[in-house]
Amino acid sequence: MGENSVEARLLSRMRRRAEAARIVRADRKTEPQPLSFAQHRLWFLDRLTPDSPDYLVPTVLRVRGTLDVAALGTALTGLVDRHEVLRTAFPADDNGTPRQVITAPWPVDVTVHDLRAETDVETRASEVLRAEATRPFDLDAGRLLRADMVRLTDDDQYLLLTLHHIVSDGWSSGILARELRDLYAAAVAGREASLPELPIQYADFAVWQREQLSGEPVERQLAYWRERLTGVTPLALPTDHQRPALPSGGGDVVTFSVPSEVTEALRATASGQGGSLFMALLALFQIVLARYCRQDDIAVGTPIAGRNRAETEDLIGFFVNTLVMRTDLSGDPTFTELLDRVKETALGAYDHQDLPFERLVEELAPDRDPSRNPLFQTMFVLQAPGSAEGQVWELAGTRIEPVEIERGVAKFDLTLTAVESADGLRAVLEYRTDLFERATIERFAGHFATLAASVAATPQARLSELNMLTVGERREVLVDWNGVSGPYPEMATIHQLIEERVAADPGAIAVTWGGRRWSYGEINARANQLAHHLRGTGVGADTLIAVCLERSPDLIATLLGILKAGAA
């Protein structure tokens, strides 16, 4: 393992963190406790849009076999007793500053939705799960965990556990599932569960984080990110709908796959450059975004667990941080050259991951646009093989399997989540429905998969040489849209042909743009006005006229007017 390899850099960072000050229990005499930086941002967003489902964390389990509802309630109550963050409320004090108020343990009741008499039970179950997974919480009141059981038959049911993101994250979902399994087994057997004592609680981490992120260490981190992200501009994603002033929160997903042979070729290419599969896939995502946006400066967000201390590994809580991966794609590099750029970006970000994204936004203070997420608008996530969502286990005579539900929400313009499996990659594109039509995102998925195959085959090719068009799109561009077998008048000009159409049907629609429509008669009349004006200024044959206009009906009328005037 070379000293500059990804593994060596990460091991070095882990050693440095292991030598740093440990997190200890805070002095609870000063309660209530402050929020962590990440919690504070979520609290603010909740105040901004209090009924938004964007920051709920649902976990759905399919349970086949007899489920003891009383034992389940006991297990969930034990979970709340064990993790203070699950019994924390977040009211504001007299100055409007939110605080963590830790309450006494409370009994968790499981709400049972009995659908055994329904005719289309699966459809009805999906409706119930989606409704409960998007029902908001009151952060002031706390009790930010709900349990719903949707009974399909006597021995088949869904279990939905919904938490607010301010007390949970993806890593926490794995802890919750693991400990709930042990607590439930103990409750069924009528014994105490033997879970190891937690060294700290989430409030202790929040206090420690506030203390650590001050002085020279935080200034060093800020200096790095200030240099990396100053001047970053929003992605000019071509949307199907005009961007609303405030996001609606509505979303949908498109799933697709990347074959195992392509995935392994990408992994081998990345490894050859001292990188990882994550870096190769991030580079691919940024190439597609660059082509869509016609930009060379692409910033993408990616989550990182934020649990670089041993004390936090078994805690339920909101630790995840977001890193901004900004890559320069200019100069038409080869893919392997781009991969080197992405690798250095990622390693630098990992070395400076302690600064919370919320503090970074506060410090850089980009021009706030409520319609866009600050610093990045798209996110990339790679989930490791064997993650909790795919695990199946047997417990007290039941078979439990995590399943996914479509909640119909999207936090970012576009999020690509890839999950490794034996068959390659299973990818999910989550998108904002107030910006994009489903067909557009399906086309994006096809472009990503095609580009992945192109890179796998020719990793030394320059970005301009890589193919992104699907087979069907290439046929359309090269064959279907280039037919020359139709009868065309050999001596007529384009503006003469349009004048003939005007004479035949002046009301026929010639151009649609931005929700408006122009007829052939209207376009021709505007072109005639310009042609007369140009001729009046002396324009004629052999005159060249410069045009600087965006693609619009005005551009079409202008070009026709120039031709009508005899110029070029």
Side-chain angles (χ1 to χ4, degrees):
M1 181 171 63
E3 64 178 11
N4 293 321
S5 70
V6 174
E7 292 84 356
R9 292 278 293 273
L10 294 180
L11 282 173
S12 175
R13 177 173 56 80
M14 291 170 66
R15 291 191 193 101
R16 291 199 304 271
R17 299 197 189 290
E19 295 166 358
R22 292 178 59 83
I23 306 173
V24 297
R25 287 189 175 270
D27 181 6
R28 296 306 178 87
K29 296 178 182 178
T30 60
E31 288 186 309
Q33 305 292 344
L35 278 63
S36 69
F37 286 102
Q39 284 182 323
H40 194 281
R41 181 165 183 262
L42 282 198
W43 181 90
F44 174 77
L45 291 173
D46 181 78
R47 285 297 191 271
L48 202 62
T49 53
D51 293 328
S52 172
D54 288 358
Y55 294 98
L56 301 183
V57 183
T59 298
V60 183
L61 305 172
R62 185 72 176 262
V63 183
R64 292 181 170 88
T66 302
L67 182 63
D68 188 328
V69 177
L72 177 61
T74 299
L76 289 168
T77 301
L79 202 67
V80 169
D81 184 25
R82 177 173 167 79
H83 294 273
E84 285 182 355
V85 73
L86 297 181
R87 45 189 169 90
T88 299
F90 299 88
D93 61 19
D94 294 339
N95 297 320
T97 303
R99 288 287 182 258
Q100 293 194 56
V101 177
I102 301 167
T103 66
W106 47 277
V108 180
D109 295 322
V110 180
T111 302
V112 178
H113 307 264
D114 194 342
L115 306 183
R116 287 176 293 182
E118 297 282 346
T119 53
D120 190 352
V121 65
E122 286 289 354
T123 299
R124 183 74 185 102
S126 296
E127 293 172 353
V128 172
L129 290 171
R130 181 166 178 167
E132 293 301 323
T134 55
R135 184 158 58 88
F137 285 106
D138 180 359
L139 297 189
D140 285 358
R143 299 200 175 194
L144 304 179
L145 179 151
R146 279 196 306 267
D148 293 271
M149 190 184 79
V150 181
R151 192 182 294 282
L152 310 179
T153 66
D154 291 343
D155 57 359
D156 189 7
Q157 50 264 308
Y158 287 107
L159 174 60
L160 168 65
L161 302 175
T162 308
L163 294 87
H164 195 282
H165 206 346
I166 204 169
V167 300
S168 184
D169 56 18
W171 185 300
S172 299
S173 298
I175 298 172
L176 186 149
R178 182 179 68 246
E179 293 193 353
L180 183 61
R181 178 180 58 192
D182 294 342
L183 289 164
Y184 177 77
V188 169
R191 57 175 173 79
E192 291 290 326
S194 57
L195 294 174
E197 182 180 354
L198 295 172
I200 62 169
Q201 292 287 341
Y202 187 86
D204 303 318
F205 164 78
V207 171
W208 174 86
Q209 185 190 53
R210 294 278 177 176
E211 293 172 348
Q212 290 293 309
L213 289 176
S214 61
E216 192 273 335
V218 72
E219 286 303 322
R220 186 170 59 250
Q221 297 250 343
L222 279 171
Y224 170 83
W225 286 110
R226 201 180 288 118
E227 179 184 356
R228 286 294 306 165
L229 298 180
T230 296
V232 66
T233 57
L235 291 184
L237 280 167
T239 59
D240 297 309
H241 307 291
Q242 186 173 354
R243 184 178 293 272
L246 288 174
S248 69
D252 200 355
V253 298
V254 166
T255 60
F256 66 101
S257 61
V258 176
S260 57
E261 60 271 18
V262 173
T263 304
E264 291 311 312
L266 293 172
R267 194 194 310 274
T269 297
S271 179
Q273 299 297 119
S276 63
L277 178 62
F278 167 85
M279 296 169 186
L281 295 174
L282 175 60
L284 285 171
F285 189 43
Q286 291 181 314
I287 293 172
V288 181
L289 290 172
R291 292 194 180 181
Y292 268 67
C293 302
R294 300 185 180 184
Q295 293 172 253
D296 290 330
D297 183 5
I298 305 295
V300 172
T302 191
I304 192 164
R307 295 172 186 259
N308 43 38
R309 307 279 174 179
E311 303 95 311
T312 65
E313 289 183 357
D314 294 323
L315 276 183
I316 291 175
F318 184 22
F319 294 92
V320 67
N321 195 17
T322 302
L323 304 179
V324 184
M325 303 292 189
R326 184 184 186 184
T327 304
D328 176 16
L329 287 82
S330 64
D332 196 23
T334 65
F335 180 79
T336 51
E337 290 171 344
L338 176 64
L339 193 55
D340 285 338
R341 299 181 190 179
V342 172
K343 181 182 75 173
E344 288 308 307
T345 294
L347 290 175
Y350 297 151
D351 283 340
H352 299 84
Q353 65 169 287
D354 288 338
L355 188 72
F357 177 74
E358 295 71 26
R359 181 71 187 275
L360 183 60
V361 172
E362 177 184 305
E363 174 68 21
L364 294 183
D367 295 333
R368 298 300 180 92
D369 179 355
S371 70
R372 288 179 169 88
N373 190 69
L375 300 180
F376 69 91
Q377 293 77 51
T378 62
M379 177 167 276
F380 173 66
V381 184
L382 176 63
Q383 293 182 353
S387 57
E389 74 168 43
Q391 295 180 2
V392 180
W393 64 84
E394 302 287 336
L395 177 61
T398 61
R399 185 176 189 271
I400 302 174
E401 179 181 6
V403 296
E404 296 181 10
I405 60 170
E406 303 298 342
R407 296 193 301 142
V409 298
K411 285 187 285 189
F412 306 105
D413 290 4
L414 194 63
T415 299
L416 173 60
T417 302
V419 183
E420 293 188 67
S421 69
D423 299 325
L425 290 176
R426 184 176 64 84
V428 179
L429 276 169
E430 180 186 87
Y431 64 96
R432 282 176 52 181
T433 51
D434 58 1
L435 295 179
F436 301 105
E437 293 292 329
R438 184 178 184 85
T440 298
I441 305 304
E442 289 175 340
R443 191 159 53 247
F444 190 104
H447 290 158
F448 183 92
T450 303
L451 181 67
S454 182
V455 168
T458 56
Q460 298 299 330
R462 298 198 174 275
L463 301 191
S464 61
E465 299 168 340
L466 294 170
N467 177 44
M468 196 172 81
L469 295 179
T470 64
V471 174
E473 288 173 329
R474 289 180 65 83
R475 184 179 62 250
E476 283 182 336
V477 172
L478 299 177
V479 179
D480 297 348
W481 294 347
N482 277 303
V484 295
S485 59
Y488 293 98
E490 294 183 3
M491 302 305 294
T493 62
I494 183 66
H495 57 279
Q496 288 172 338
L497 292 174
I498 288 177
E499 288 169 350
E500 291 177 6
R501 183 63 185 272
V502 171
D505 188 3
I509 300 303
V511 178
T512 60
W513 183 77
R516 293 188 59 190
R517 304 193 297 177
W518 279 262
S519 69
Y520 278 94
E522 290 172 321
I523 289 289
N524 191 60
R526 296 177 69 178
N528 285 339
Q529 289 175 339
L530 179 61
H532 286 302
H533 171 73
L534 292 175
R535 292 299 293 269
T537 62
V539 167
D542 297 327
T543 302
L544 294 177
I545 297 178
V547 178
C548 181
L549 285 172
E550 295 182 353
R551 293 172 180 264
S552 65
D554 286 333
L555 175 62
I556 294 174
T558 298
L559 297 179
L560 288 174
I562 292 170
L563 295 176
K564 283 173 176 281

